Amino acid sequence: GNSVTQMEGPVTLSEEAFLTINCTYTATGYPSLFWYVQYPGEGLQLLLKATKADDKGSNKGFEATYRKETTSFHLEKGSVQVSDSAVYFCALSDRKGYSTLTFGKGTMLLVSP
Amino acid sequence: GAGVSQSPSNKVTEKGKDVELRCDPISGHTALYWYRQSLGQGLEFLIYFQGNSAPDKSGLPSDRFSAERTGGSVSTLTIQRTQQEDSAVYLCASSTGQTLSSGANVLTFGAGSRLTVL
């Protein structure tokens, strides 16, 4: 079956540091890949997505590249801000059928001033 | 509505009681999903509704869990005879249900209903 593995948190960084959150997946076929973010007290929001190999999703300074050869979709940001503190979820949807999302367990990011 | 609305936002109940959680999806979204978010467990798929098709109940953890979607809009998740392990945040999401040619089906989530079973 489908599965998503993320690095465990929390990830603690100082403001303006470089961020990487690793994500690897197992899926049949060619899934679409997503990063969702959950800010404290809020629901999950789509951060970015990529739907085929070598696609790069980007939003709010975050980027992730769909790497089919390594089955990875690592999230990166060059300079984090305190407001980026949240829980980040990597997810995939199987292109077959109705595309329910399979999520990783989430990685908490804490950014200090 | 403008977003996915869930109620109640918080529910505390005693073990053995039944609870109902409500989800009001975005107007016009034909697909509706329930997920459960437990501490340290990530998000667990529970059930999916798409239009008038039979729901996919493959993620429901036991027969104490059930869900309905009336009129293709509002959905209710019911947990009977609640147990302490049912304590979690229950998330509802909706989408247009259309998988784009690129393969992406984007879900919009509500803020969740936090259930605590004492």
Side-chain angles (χ1 to χ4, degrees):
Chain A
N2 297 336
S3 67
V4 176
T5 303
Q6 292 180 234
M7 61 189 293
E8 291 191 17
V11 173
T12 304
L13 295 173
S14 298
E15 205 164 25
E16 299 184 2
F18 184 86
L19 168 72
T20 299
I21 300 179
N22 290 338
C23 171
T24 57
Y25 67 89
T26 301
T28 55
Y30 302 94
S32 295
L33 302 174
F34 305 81
W35 277 100
Y36 277 79
V37 58
Q38 186 176 33
Y39 297 104
E42 300 183 14
L44 273 76
Q45 305 173 23
L46 178 66
L47 180 60
L48 54 84
K49 68 181 187 296
T51 57
K52 61 182 186 295
D54 299 325
D55 266 4
K56 177 184 287 187
S58 61
N59 186 25
K60 300 182 180 180
F62 290 89
E63 294 183 340
T65 301
Y66 188 143
R67 300 290 187 197
K68 184 172 180 292
E69 64 276 13
T70 54
T71 61
S72 65
F73 193 54
H74 304 322
L75 182 68
E76 296 181 336
K77 186 174 185 181
S79 176
V80 294
Q81 305 299 313
V82 172
S83 58
D84 293 328
S85 297
V87 181
Y88 292 82
F89 292 89
C90 185
L92 70 84
S93 77
D94 195 323
R95 292 184 66 172
K96 294 181 180 179
Y98 45 73
S99 302
T100 58
L101 291 174
T102 300
F103 286 89
K105 292 188 176 182
T107 303
M108 179 178 288
L109 170 65
L110 300 172
V111 181
S112 57
Chain B
V4 178
S5 179
Q6 292 188 245
S7 61
S9 56
N10 278 286
K11 175 72 176 179
V12 180
T13 190
E14 294 180 347
K15 178 181 174 181
K17 300 284 189 182
D18 297 352
V19 296
E20 287 188 350
L21 307 176
R22 175 189 168 103
C23 173
D24 199 344
I26 291 173
S27 178
H29 278 192
T30 60
L32 187 147
Y33 310 75
W34 283 99
Y35 282 83
R36 178 167 69 175
Q37 184 177 16
S38 304
L39 192 62
Q41 296 299 315
L43 280 83
E44 174 188 13
F45 166 73
L46 297 177
I47 189 169
Y48 161 82
F49 296 89
Q50 170 60 53
N52 296 321
S53 302
D56 177 356
K57 305 178 181 180
S58 61
L60 295 178
S62 77
D63 59 7
R64 296 187 295 105
F65 288 72
S66 63
E68 292 184 341
R69 189 178 186 193
T70 55
S73 180
V74 172
S75 176
T76 302
L77 177 69
T78 301
I79 309 172
Q80 296 178 309
R81 305 181 301 282
T82 52
Q83 304 295 313
Q84 289 183 332
E85 62 262 28
D86 299 335
S87 296
V89 178
Y90 290 82
L91 296 172
C92 177
S94 70
S95 76
T96 62
Q98 296 175 344
T99 301
L100 302 177
S101 58
S102 59
N105 175 29
V106 177
L107 276 63
T108 301
F109 283 83
S113 293
R114 180 177 297 278
L115 173 66
T116 303
V117 182
L118 301 177

